[in-house]
Amino acid sequence: MLDIHNNEIDWAWKVDDSAVKTQSSAIKTALMDLTKPVYVAKSGAQAGIANSISISGSEDVLAFAQKLNPEDLGDDTYKKQHGVKYAYHGGAMANGIASVELVVALGKAGFLCSFGAAGLVPDVIEESIKRIQAQLPNGPYAVNLIHAPAEAALERGAVERFLKLGVKTVEASAYLGLTEHIVWYRVAGLSKNADGSVNIGHKVIAKVSRTEVGRRFMEPAPKKLLDKLLAQGKITQEQAELSQLVPMADDITAEADSGGHTDNRPFLTLLPTIIALRDEVQAKYHFSPALRVGAGGGIGTPEAALAAFNMGAAYIVLGSVNQACVEAGASEYTRKLLANVEMADVTMAPAADMFEMGVKLQVVKRGSMFAMRAKKLYDLYVAYDSIEDIPADERFKIEKQIFRSNLDDVWVGTESFFQQRDPEMLARAQSSPKRKMALIFRWYLGLSSRWSNIGEKGREMDYQIWAGPSLGAFNSWVKGTYLEDYTRRGTVDVALHMLKGAAYLQRINMLKSQGVTLTTDLASYRTDD
């Protein structure tokens, strides 16, 4: 039921007594209709809700909540610039987990989603982009560009394909600083409009969790990298000059406690910090339009989505939640496992792409020994200078329990893999036993995510599954509803419930601030309502 107290607001609005709904089910229906405002009034001794006011009404309006649709949330310039209906971004999940199907499904429904190009070779990236473009010829879609400090050839190759295929938006992730490749993509898309303003042909959404990295993307491209690109003939002098009038990114995603590469920052502290940094940089450069800040990582419920919007996020980014959806490029075994993950079922493990640097990413520990086994390999890498230095008993254990193969045979397969993927990497390893050991260990770390995606039989305990605690929060929220069943999780349906739930809760908060008290059922949003 519904009650109201301590109300001192004089709306001077009236409603008809007969229009006031006092039954709990009718009140819930009225609240759920986000396309209409709601007015709280009395009908006799009971408080209830009406959806319209009346000049000739007999009952005073005691509280009010405006209509608020899912598409009303977030920043309008974000939606306009990216050509989307909703301020919701499906984040990239590497190795094609954020699949063509996921990107297309969200794109057709008015959402932006990034294809998970990280970890894929350029030919596969190109084929996937062509499939997306065939189904979304006018967008919206984005493609992930991940920082690859150990494999610069992959980052360069990805940008070459983006430019070749006319990709208009990239989501830059895991960057420790700017590289010539991301600068090349950004600046190569700049031109001058007829009125002298800058036309930004290549949009960049940068995921950051550190202020020093965020600042690099918020400022114009650095001269040192521009000079290098000019010398290579990859950009023109005019483009270099125009680059000083725009930031390196259009949008910055404050990436909090996410799956995959993460610094485990709580977005309650990270988001306002990044927004404050944006304001500082904007006050210096006066970019038009101003760079926007969104929130990603840790968002798995409507309550979290609403918190992000209320803290000033221009848009929200969800990744882990989408990984369990039917369109995701993950095996059914993995999606079923993800649908049962709880908040505490995640941990940090060494990252394959930044293994030598000791960088970690967040993975599922439930039902998998990957994190423990990956840590064992990293400990051995730190302790010894070559494969040959590893004690015989230790080598025997990892060959039997982790690799299930002789390390000499693993090296043969590793050579073949990098010969196609990045020959430069292989050449460097030939003269460095330590680097050779790293590549052998990365064989396991790299394949473990592929095994999860394809559902490799017999390797279930080695599956590397990226996810943050937000997935556990989502699973808890949908428990007892049809979305508890992973086979019924469609990415568009999930996205709409997240936004509709956030809008619903915003209206509830408006009523509460005016002295309205609601039952638990009325104050909460459930997917089966």
Side-chain angles (χ1 to χ4, degrees):
M1 297 299 289
L2 179 149
D3 194 13
I4 186 162
H5 55 88
N6 298 328
N7 184 276
E8 299 177 356
I9 301 173
D10 182 12
W11 293 104
W13 289 342
K14 302 284 187 177
V15 299
D16 289 327
D17 177 85
S18 60
V20 179
K21 306 174 182 69
T22 57
Q23 292 291 327
S24 183
S25 60
I27 292 174
K28 185 72 171 184
T29 299
L31 289 171
M32 288 289 288
D33 187 354
L34 303 176
T35 65
K36 298 176 182 177
V38 291
Y39 306 90
V40 176
K42 289 284 185 73
S43 177
Q46 288 187 294
I49 279 183
N51 285 124
S52 62
I53 56 177
S54 172
I55 297 176
S56 60
S58 59
E59 302 300 323
D60 291 331
V61 171
L62 305 174
F64 161 77
Q66 66 187 43
K67 67 177 183 178
L68 186 64
N69 296 307
E71 57 266 33
D72 297 328
L73 297 169
D75 187 276
D76 287 339
T77 61
Y78 169 88
K79 289 174 271 190
K80 182 178 180 181
Q81 187 168 8
H82 292 291
V84 295
K85 184 177 180 180
Y86 305 99
Y88 177 110
H89 180 187
M93 295 176 285
N95 287 342
I97 296 173
S99 64
V100 170
E101 292 76 15
L102 193 74
V103 173
V104 170
L106 284 169
K108 287 185 175 180
F111 299 88
L112 182 66
C113 182
S114 297
F115 173 68
L120 303 178
V121 296
D123 284 348
V124 175
I125 294 174
E126 177 170 342
E127 186 271 336
S128 299
I129 292 172
K130 288 179 177 178
R131 288 173 56 203
I132 293 171
Q133 290 176 333
Q135 298 179 76
L136 295 172
N138 300 311
Y141 71 89
V143 182
N144 182 222
L145 178 64
I146 194 166
H147 182 33
E151 296 183 85
L154 281 184
E155 190 178 339
R156 180 178 64 249
V159 171
E160 288 172 347
R161 304 304 170 98
F162 297 165
L163 297 177
K164 171 186 174 182
L165 299 171
V167 172
K168 301 302 183 185
T169 307
V170 303
E171 182 184 24
S173 62
Y175 275 81
L176 305 175
L178 296 181
T179 68
E180 66 175 285
H181 310 301
I182 183 63
V183 174
W184 177 26
Y185 174 80
R186 177 66 164 179
V187 178
L190 300 178
S191 61
K192 187 179 292 187
N193 292 316
D195 62 0
S197 61
V198 182
N199 176 58
I200 300 175
H202 295 161
K203 297 184 287 292
V204 172
I205 303 170
K207 291 198 294 189
V208 305
S209 56
R210 301 184 183 189
T211 53
E212 64 271 21
V213 178
R215 184 180 292 276
R216 299 286 81 81
F217 278 100
M218 292 179 185
E219 296 178 335
K223 186 177 185 300
K224 180 179 179 181
L225 293 179
L226 291 172
D227 289 344
K228 187 173 183 179
L229 292 168
L230 281 168
Q232 296 171 353
K234 292 182 175 178
I235 61 173
T236 67
Q237 183 62 46
E238 180 180 73
Q239 287 173 331
E241 294 170 359
L242 292 175
S243 73
Q244 299 307 290
L245 304 177
V246 298
M248 264 298 299
D250 303 277
D251 300 279
I252 297 289
T253 300
E255 185 180 16
D257 195 9
S258 63
H261 298 88
T262 181
D263 285 323
N264 304 112
R265 306 281 193 245
F267 86 77
L268 287 173
T269 54
L270 179 64
L271 180 58
T273 301
I274 298 299
I275 289 176
L277 177 63
R278 184 276 312 276
D279 293 344
E280 174 193 329
V281 174
Q282 177 64 15
K284 177 180 179 180
Y285 291 99
H286 304 287
F287 296 125
S288 181
L291 184 143
R292 298 169 295 264
V293 177
I299 302 175
T301 63
E303 289 84 355
L306 178 58
F309 284 126
N310 282 344
M311 289 172 64
Y315 58 95
I316 57 173
V317 180
L318 276 76
S320 297
V321 167
N322 288 330
Q323 191 175 184
C325 291
V326 294
E327 299 92 347
S331 66
E332 184 171 357
Y333 179 96
T334 296
R335 289 190 293 109
K336 183 177 181 180
L337 177 65
L338 287 167
N340 291 285
V341 164
E342 298 180 1
M343 284 188 292
D345 289 337
V346 293
T347 189
M348 299 301 290
D353 57 345
M354 301 182 188
F355 180 79
E356 296 93 324
M357 301 168 65
V359 173
K360 294 182 177 181
L361 39 66
Q362 193 154 218
V363 299
V364 173
K365 64 181 179 181
R366 180 175 187 156
S368 174
M369 297 182 68
F370 167 78
M372 182 177 66
R373 290 173 173 175
K375 182 180 183 302
K376 174 65 176 180
L377 295 181
Y378 183 73
D379 290 344
L380 290 173
Y381 171 77
V382 171
Y384 301 102
D385 292 326
S386 69
I387 289 293
E388 290 71 27
D389 289 344
I390 299 174
D393 60 333
E394 288 283 7
R395 175 167 176 165
F396 175 77
K397 288 178 183 178
I398 63 173
E399 286 180 334
K400 181 179 180 180
Q401 298 173 0
I402 300 178
F403 291 93
R404 301 187 189 179
S405 180
N406 183 281
L407 292 185
D408 294 332
D409 294 334
V410 171
W411 173 243
V412 172
T414 302
E415 281 187 301
S416 176
F417 174 78
F418 279 101
Q419 192 63 51
Q420 295 181 333
R421 182 183 178 94
D422 189 353
E424 295 176 14
M425 173 72 73
L426 192 60
R428 292 194 296 271
Q430 298 288 2
S431 59
S432 172
K434 185 89 168 178
R435 185 165 286 154
K436 176 181 177 180
M437 176 169 57
L439 292 187
I440 290 174
F441 289 171
R442 284 175 58 186
W443 176 94
Y444 171 75
L445 273 70
L447 279 178
S448 58
S449 63
R450 182 175 183 274
W451 291 332
S452 170
N453 292 351
I454 66 175
E456 183 76 15
K457 298 293 185 182
R459 279 290 191 174
E460 290 84 357
M461 295 303 292
D462 294 293
Y463 284 5
Q464 179 182 179
I465 307 169
W466 305 306
S470 60
L471 178 60
F474 177 83
N475 288 336
S476 177
W477 173 57
V478 301
K479 195 172 184 63
T481 75
Y482 74 96
L483 286 179
E484 184 176 4
D485 179 358
Y486 73 99
T487 65
R488 299 180 67 185
R489 293 187 186 182
T491 184
V492 173
D493 191 32
V494 167
L496 288 173
H497 273 304
M498 293 293 295
L499 293 178
K500 187 174 181 180
Y504 180 91
L505 294 171
Q506 180 75 317
R507 300 216 302 175
I508 295 300
N509 289 343
M510 290 174 66
L511 294 177
K512 286 181 176 179
S513 71
Q514 297 164 57
V516 177
T517 300
L518 302 103
T519 61
T520 301
D521 174 64
L522 293 176
S524 61
Y525 177 88
R526 294 274 286 175
T527 58
D528 277 351
D529 289 336

